[in-house]
Amino acid sequence: MKTFLIVLVMLASADGTEDLYIVENPSFTSPNQCVAYVQENDNMLVGRATLEYNGRGVQDIYCVDQKKLATLLTGV
């Protein structure tokens, strides 16, 4: 069974790097569930990420398969 997580891409920092804010709870079994949650809770998600990254804005929000995200993060 696939698990989908919410991934927020933060706006680039002064040094040009982009950071990811990954929401592992809740997780979802389908992309549609994830997208519906994001649509209903986007303000809360953006607020949490912005607070965590000292006021930096959010560029994008994605629902990503957990295994594919792990592959992207490890480069394997």
Side-chain angles (χ1 to χ4, degrees):
M1 174 187 314
K2 289 188 176 191
T3 301
F4 292 86
L5 303 177
I6 301 168
V7 178
L8 293 90
V9 180
M10 305 307 293
L11 289 173
S13 65
D15 65 3
T17 60
E18 291 179 332
D19 293 303
L20 301 178
Y21 182 75
I22 301 168
V23 179
E24 296 184 74
N25 190 15
S27 62
F28 308 90
T29 57
S30 79
N32 291 341
Q33 290 174 328
C34 183
V35 169
Y37 182 87
V38 169
Q39 288 174 338
E40 291 179 19
N41 298 284
D42 62 331
N43 288 332
M44 181 269 301
L45 293 166
V46 168
R48 281 175 44 193
T50 300
L51 185 63
E52 190 72 27
Y53 281 92
N54 299 317
R56 280 177 50 199
V58 173
Q59 180 177 326
D60 288 306
I61 303 175
Y62 298 101
C63 291
V64 181
D65 179 284
Q66 185 176 25
K67 289 181 181 175
K68 288 183 181 180
L69 179 61
T71 300
L72 287 171
L73 295 176
T74 59
V76 175

